[in-house]
Amino acid sequence: MENENKKPYQLQREFNIRKIVITSFIVIGIIAVVIIFSLYIADENFRKWADINVLRKDIMSEDVPTIDLNTDKNNQIFCYNKNICILNDKILKLYDASGRETLDISVDINTALFASNDNYLALAEQNGQEFCVISDKTYLWRDKVDGEILQININKNGYVALVTTDTTYKSIITVYDSAGKQLLRNFLSSTSVIDVTISNDNQYVAFAETDTSGTLIQSNIKILSIEKATSNPEEAIIYTKENEASKMILKVQYQEKNHLICVYDDTIDMIKDETETQIVTNDDTMTFLSGNLKNNIAYIKEEATGLFNSNSVLNIINTSNNQHTTYNFDEIAKEMYTYGNVIGINIGTEIYFVNTNGMLIKKYTSNQEITNVILSNELAIIIYKDRVEIIDL
């Protein structure tokens, strides 16, 4: 009878012990995860080891899908979103991330200028008249212009800026909405447009121009209001920045919050609310600079690690909060590619893909020299003479 009375107590005691053991394992597991995650964030050497050995972010050429190319044709290759496109014989063929052909689109374009933004692709006949816009796999609209097309740009909403030239004007900027309706035209008789960009809210068009009529080359930046251009074209230009003759503008890029990034030969500046601020100054240790990102600028500096050795440091600066992030390479960078939130660093037969938080996305190793890479936010394509290799980011 006494043993029978002890059974409930023993069962409860065993249950409590099991509960304590299980809870302890859970707590230890949570602590271990927190410690590992903290190490991953804080310790760069541990993070690099975990990326390669635990997370398996290291991929080889034989591990990725490929698209075989007909080397007898003039293949023009680009990627946007999750699509790869190959243009030849006026046929644009679309492929998915696995290398499977998904669509053929007939376009009246031989030699293409490509521009993309998120889901949109714009392409135009270089030094021709024809251009068109595609959204994902849908052919939206096409148009034909007078003169010769020099540049094309598209924002994330499908608005297009086209730069053309004719016998009267050195540069003509024409802007279209996402349906193909012409919104404005701006004529430049004595200056040439170096680059053009449309803000993400569809309100502004910024362009960099150079004037070569004088003894010294003069470069300027101007901002057009699309609204004012439609109502009062004479007041369309709302901002002008005339640079020193020695300062050459290379690229302009609208980012989030209408931050206009201006890449010069010696600095990267930002124009916000008609005020220009210098973000970084180029020096002899900088090898690559880019503002072609969603909300950041990036540059690479070489640092000496010994008498005959150097490595590369990728520097990323958030243009909204000025946060500075770095990623170190033990090799010398041969090229840098940027798009959206992705940065690619080519070191020869290897390429690192890093996000704008300074975290490794993928490391790709090829069995031959890498010379041609194109990025979207979803894909990277490595282009060789006879094939395209696809890396899903």
Side-chain angles (χ1 to χ4, degrees):
M1 189 70 163
E2 185 179 344
N3 292 335
E4 291 293 326
N5 291 333
K6 286 183 179 180
K7 283 185 179 180
Y9 170 76
Q10 290 174 343
L11 290 172
Q12 183 63 40
R13 184 171 179 273
E14 291 173 359
F15 173 77
N16 290 338
I17 291 172
R18 285 197 300 269
K19 186 176 179 181
I20 291 170
V21 170
I22 292 170
T23 303
S24 299
F25 275 116
I26 292 173
V27 171
I28 291 170
I30 292 172
I31 293 172
V33 169
V34 170
I35 291 172
I36 292 171
F37 182 75
S38 299
L39 278 172
Y40 185 82
I41 297 298
D43 190 322
E44 184 176 358
N45 290 328
F46 177 79
R47 182 166 64 249
K48 288 183 176 181
W49 177 87
D51 282 339
I52 302 303
N53 297 287
V54 179
L55 301 177
R56 302 296 181 185
K57 294 182 179 181
D58 193 357
I59 56 173
M60 309 295 288
S61 181
E62 55 267 23
D63 299 329
V64 299
T66 62
I67 302 170
D68 293 327
L69 299 175
N70 184 342
T71 56
D72 294 330
K73 293 186 177 182
N74 178 27
N75 298 297
Q76 298 166 74
I77 304 161
F78 199 73
C79 70
Y80 66 103
N81 201 27
K82 276 189 169 294
N83 301 302
I84 302 101
C85 52
I86 300 176
L87 174 66
N88 55 52
D89 297 335
K90 295 187 177 183
I91 299 294
L92 186 72
K93 293 186 177 184
L94 300 185
Y95 300 81
D96 62 19
S98 66
R100 181 177 61 91
E101 185 178 337
T102 58
L103 188 66
D104 284 1
I105 301 174
S106 178
V107 294
D108 194 16
I109 295 172
N110 283 306
T111 304
L113 297 169
F114 293 95
S116 68
N117 203 319
D118 287 347
N119 210 35
Y120 286 98
L121 172 70
L123 62 160
E125 181 73 53
Q126 185 174 4
N127 302 121
Q129 289 80 42
E130 187 83 20
F131 71 103
C132 62
V133 175
I134 296 165
S135 176
D136 193 19
K137 298 179 183 65
T138 302
Y139 189 96
L140 293 182
W141 57 275
R142 59 173 290 275
D143 205 347
K144 193 172 183 178
V145 295
D146 296 327
E148 296 181 3
I149 297 173
L150 303 178
Q151 294 180 46
I152 192 166
N153 180 270
I154 191 165
N155 76 354
K156 69 177 185 178
N157 303 312
Y159 279 55
V160 172
L162 200 69
V163 180
T164 58
T165 187
D166 62 17
T167 55
T168 305
Y169 297 97
K170 277 195 171 183
S171 299
I172 304 167
I173 299 173
T174 310
V175 177
Y176 303 83
D177 68 12
S178 57
K181 177 185 176 183
Q182 182 178 303
L183 300 178
L184 70 85
R185 300 196 84 193
N186 187 261
F187 299 87
L188 308 173
S189 57
S190 60
T191 58
S192 299
V193 173
I194 300 300
D195 198 23
V196 63
T197 180
I198 309 172
S199 63
N200 289 327
D201 62 2
N202 312 324
Q203 296 297 309
Y204 305 103
V205 177
F207 63 94
E209 62 176 4
T210 58
D211 186 349
T212 58
S213 59
T215 55
L216 297 174
I217 298 175
Q218 176 71 45
S219 64
N220 308 311
I221 296 170
K222 294 181 179 179
I223 299 176
L224 290 163
S225 166
I226 293 177
E227 181 182 0
K228 288 187 177 182
T230 56
S231 59
N232 190 353
E234 294 182 356
E235 298 180 359
I237 296 178
I238 61 171
Y239 177 85
T240 299
K241 171 65 184 301
E242 295 183 357
N243 295 302
E244 300 173 3
S246 60
K247 196 175 181 70
M248 294 301 299
I249 183 70
L250 304 175
K251 184 173 179 59
V252 289
Q253 174 75 36
Y254 264 118
Q255 296 187 347
E256 298 296 327
K257 301 178 182 179
N258 286 344
H259 294 172
L260 180 63
I261 303 301
C262 309
V263 180
Y264 295 93
D265 57 345
D266 59 350
T267 65
I268 296 181
D269 299 351
M270 180 174 72
I271 297 174
K272 179 184 178 183
D273 299 328
E274 300 186 9
T275 300
E276 188 168 16
T277 304
Q278 191 173 107
I279 302 176
V280 64
T281 302
N282 194 359
D283 58 38
D284 293 338
T285 65
M286 288 188 187
T287 53
F288 303 101
L289 300 92
S290 177
N292 186 35
L293 291 162
K294 186 176 182 180
N295 208 29
N296 296 266
I297 65 102
Y299 62 94
I300 292 177
K301 294 188 74 170
E302 291 185 8
E303 294 186 352
T305 57
L307 187 59
F308 301 106
N309 297 318
S310 297
N311 64 5
S312 300
V313 181
L314 170 64
N315 295 264
I316 306 163
I317 299 176
N318 188 299
T319 54
S320 293
N321 57 26
N322 208 35
Q323 180 179 344
H324 192 158
T325 306
T326 61
Y327 192 96
N328 293 288
F329 300 87
D330 295 329
E331 302 89 354
I332 297 299
K334 295 183 180 296
E335 189 61 76
M336 180 173 76
Y337 317 93
T338 56
Y339 184 92
N341 292 315
V342 181
I343 302 164
I345 309 297
N346 182 356
I347 60 170
T349 58
E350 296 176 339
I351 183 166
Y352 292 80
F353 298 100
V354 180
N355 65 25
T356 48
N357 292 320
M359 299 294 179
L360 182 69
I361 304 171
K362 294 278 176 68
K363 177 189 173 186
Y364 164 86
T365 302
S366 176
N367 52 19
Q368 65 186 92
E369 194 81 6
I370 301 167
T371 59
N372 195 352
V373 179
I374 300 176
L375 294 180
S376 76
N377 258 339
E378 305 288 342
L379 298 173
I381 57 174
I382 316 296
I383 303 171
Y384 300 102
K385 183 179 179 180
D386 60 346
R387 70 191 187 282
V388 176
E389 296 189 349
I390 306 164
I391 302 168
D392 195 340
L393 301 175

